[in-house]
Amino acid sequence: MKIIAPSMLSCNFGKLEEEIEMVNQSEAGWFHLDVMDGVFVPNITFGTPILEVFKKYATKHLDAHLMIVNPENYIEKFASLGANTITVHYEACDNLQNTINQIKKLNVKAGVAINPDTDVSVLYSLINEIDLICLMSVFPGFSGQKFIPDTFERLEKLKKIITDKKSQALIQIDGGVSTDNAKKLVSLGADILVAGSFVFKSEDASTTIKKLNSVIN
Ligand code: DX5
Ligand code: ZN
């Protein structure tokens, strides 16, 4: 079963509780939560107070995507706020191995995200310790950007590494996902598709999630 993870950054924060309930009731599998610090990326989104709201109302897997520097300083906090997966950026970690261990010790799935200009081979040595690889298909920072077509090739390369090394890591694609590319992404090995603006800027978010789901499952 492939998973749709709506990026809540694009939802209407004026009615956050309703948006969360919509996703609870929808065919989405996970909530994708984009935390940005204005340092690692040129944008600031939300942090712990908003996570509290998700902890309270969300009934599905909470996937925290940390686009922040020094993520190791915040992992315990996000784990205590109910994050089921914590994804840190390869580019933001001084010692990725330690950060992965830190996440796993808290009984949380460890995710590693890589930017579009980072070669997938950098994950080769750690691939058997990572639960999820978030392959960025846009440069992190903003929702609503165009999918970078290069991603298909990167995905094939990553899938090959995972297969060769018999890793259990799931592949997540994040950025510019829509019904135009979802099927191809899954056929090349993606397990989880994050979709922000395609879902929340559509006329009916729940129907759009259903549509995406029917394309990939
Ligand atoms: C980008 C974020 C994404 C993004 C997804 O920095 O990590 O999760 O908000 O939004 P769309 O689907 O609109 O590209
Ligand atoms: Zn994200």
Side-chain angles (χ1 to χ4, degrees):
M1 185 82 176
K2 307 293 180 177
I3 294 169
I4 300 295
S7 163
M8 303 309 288
L9 181 57
S10 296
C11 84
N12 180 351
F13 281 86
K15 44 173 197 162
L16 183 54
E17 202 185 317
E18 281 168 51
E19 296 280 60
I20 294 172
E21 189 50 26
M22 181 280 293
V23 176
N24 284 341
Q25 299 300 331
S26 77
E27 291 187 12
W30 291 10
F31 287 87
H32 184 82
L33 307 174
D34 288 303
V35 178
M36 303 187 193
D37 65 354
V39 180
F40 180 69
V41 287
N43 193 16
I44 298 175
T45 55
F46 51 78
T48 50
I50 293 289
L51 262 288
E52 305 262 10
V53 181
F54 281 91
K55 186 182 185 195
K56 187 165 176 198
Y57 296 110
T59 57
K60 294 179 176 175
H61 190 106
L62 296 182
D63 171 31
H65 178 191
L66 305 186
M67 284 158 276
I68 63 177
V69 295
N70 304 125
E72 60 282 355
N73 296 344
Y74 300 94
I75 283 162
E76 220 176 298
K77 183 69 188 168
F78 281 100
S80 75
L81 289 168
N84 301 103
T85 297
I86 295 178
T87 296
V88 296
H89 265 265
Y90 168 83
E91 301 84 3
C93 292
D94 291 331
N95 188 327
L96 186 58
Q97 170 85 71
N98 283 355
T99 308
I100 291 169
N101 293 347
Q102 197 192 345
I103 298 171
K104 288 174 134 183
K105 253 194 213 136
L106 295 163
N107 263 325
V108 173
K109 298 280 182 204
V112 177
I114 56 169
N115 284 345
D117 57 356
T118 298
D119 200 283
V120 295
S121 64
V122 299
L123 298 176
Y124 193 84
S125 62
L126 285 176
I127 203 110
N128 293 87
E129 310 186 30
I130 301 172
D131 295 306
L132 175 148
I133 294 157
C134 175
L135 195 60
M136 293 304 302
S137 38
V138 299
F139 281 89
F142 300 90
S143 58
Q145 301 182 76
K146 251 184 89 180
F147 180 87
I148 300 173
D150 228 30
T151 307
F152 293 124
E153 215 172 290
R154 289 159 54 71
L155 172 56
E156 282 178 297
K157 209 168 153 193
L158 176 61
K159 185 67 188 177
K160 186 168 180 334
I161 295 174
I162 289 177
T163 309
D164 287 353
K165 294 201 80 180
K166 298 189 172 53
S167 158
Q168 300 291 309
L170 298 174
I171 303 178
Q172 177 177 68
I173 306 292
D174 189 7
V177 170
S178 72
T179 44
D180 288 344
N181 49 31
K183 205 185 174 88
K184 184 164 177 189
L185 290 167
V186 163
S187 75
L188 295 177
D191 302 289
I192 301 147
L193 301 183
V194 174
S197 47
F198 185 71
V199 166
F200 289 102
K201 305 299 171 217
S202 69
E203 209 162 292
D204 185 274
S206 175
T207 307
T208 305
I209 292 169
K210 202 180 165 121
K211 240 184 247 166
L212 270 172
N213 200 35
S214 69
V215 168
I216 65 166
N217 282 305

